[in-house]
Amino acid sequence: MNQTPSRDGWTAPEPGESEPAPITAMLSSRLMVLANLLKRGAILRYKRLTGLSSVEFGLVASLGRRPPMSVARLAEAVGQDKGQISRALANLVSRKLIAKSANPKDSREVLISLTAAGLAAHDAIVEGAQERNRRLLEHLSAAEFDMLLQQVDQLTAIAAEMLESEKNAR
């Protein structure tokens, strides 16, 4: 698909090419394709390195080298509800990657933290992420990298505003 980018996301195809769906040329679609490719590659890598599913490695990565946290706080950190992560947490406990303990300040609340094996899995995930990030960005100059981060931050802020508008639309 050789198209010239435009702000509305669509330009006419070159002679001899079939016309793609206009949405595929839009920046938002291209960013989603990039994000999906990166996510699929990460899932494969972390499964190979640690044997963890995407939900499990997300939990291990979020727990990281932090103090123990509640299940509710972890669910908030990964953007899922407690019910969605409960099976993954049970698997991680059975594999001895996380430990559960009662909160000394509130015995009704369970705190979770990484075990030594969980920390090793976390470190493998971080190392893999750093290598993937280096490989993704190694062809950008320092100035291009800084500009890209500024643009991504700006687009992220606008996208967050757009989401809030959609939430409030009736």
Side-chain angles (χ1 to χ4, degrees):
M1 174 171 72
N2 295 328
Q3 294 185 339
T4 306
S6 70
R7 287 195 181 265
D8 68 3
W10 186 86
T11 56
E14 293 184 3
E17 284 190 1
S18 63
E19 187 173 314
I23 200 165
T24 62
M26 292 182 184
L27 177 63
S28 57
S29 291
R30 290 175 182 207
L31 290 173
M32 284 190 272
V33 168
L34 173 60
N36 286 332
L37 289 169
L38 290 170
K39 181 179 179 178
R40 289 170 52 203
I43 289 169
L44 291 173
R45 173 173 286 227
Y46 304 139
K47 180 75 170 173
R48 178 174 48 81
L49 291 176
T50 64
L52 298 175
S53 72
S54 62
V55 173
E56 292 168 341
F57 82 69
L59 296 174
V60 169
S62 293
L63 282 167
R65 293 187 169 277
R66 300 179 184 178
M69 70 173 69
S70 70
V71 175
R73 174 68 188 103
L74 178 61
E76 181 183 304
V78 297
Q80 297 180 340
D81 64 49
K82 291 189 294 186
Q84 290 175 303
I85 65 171
S86 63
R87 186 170 58 225
L89 287 173
N91 288 341
L92 292 170
V93 168
S94 72
R95 294 173 62 187
K96 299 186 180 355
L97 295 173
I98 64 169
K100 290 184 174 185
S101 61
N103 184 342
K105 296 177 183 172
D106 180 356
S107 61
R108 297 169 295 168
E109 185 176 60
V110 173
L111 298 179
I112 54 176
S113 59
L114 294 178
T115 62
L119 287 170
H122 171 265
D123 292 348
I125 290 167
V126 169
E127 186 178 319
Q130 289 171 332
E131 193 274 324
R132 287 172 45 79
N133 196 61
R134 275 191 299 275
R135 186 166 175 206
L136 181 65
L137 300 172
E138 68 188 357
H139 300 289
L140 298 179
S141 69
E144 289 170 326
F145 175 70
D146 289 342
M147 182 179 288
L148 176 61
L149 287 183
Q150 290 172 4
Q151 292 169 338
V152 167
D153 289 346
Q154 181 181 14
L155 292 174
T156 301
I158 294 167
E161 291 171 9
M162 292 168 61
L163 174 59
E164 286 306 310
S165 293
E166 287 300 325
K167 287 179 179 178
N168 296 325
R170 296 186 199 269

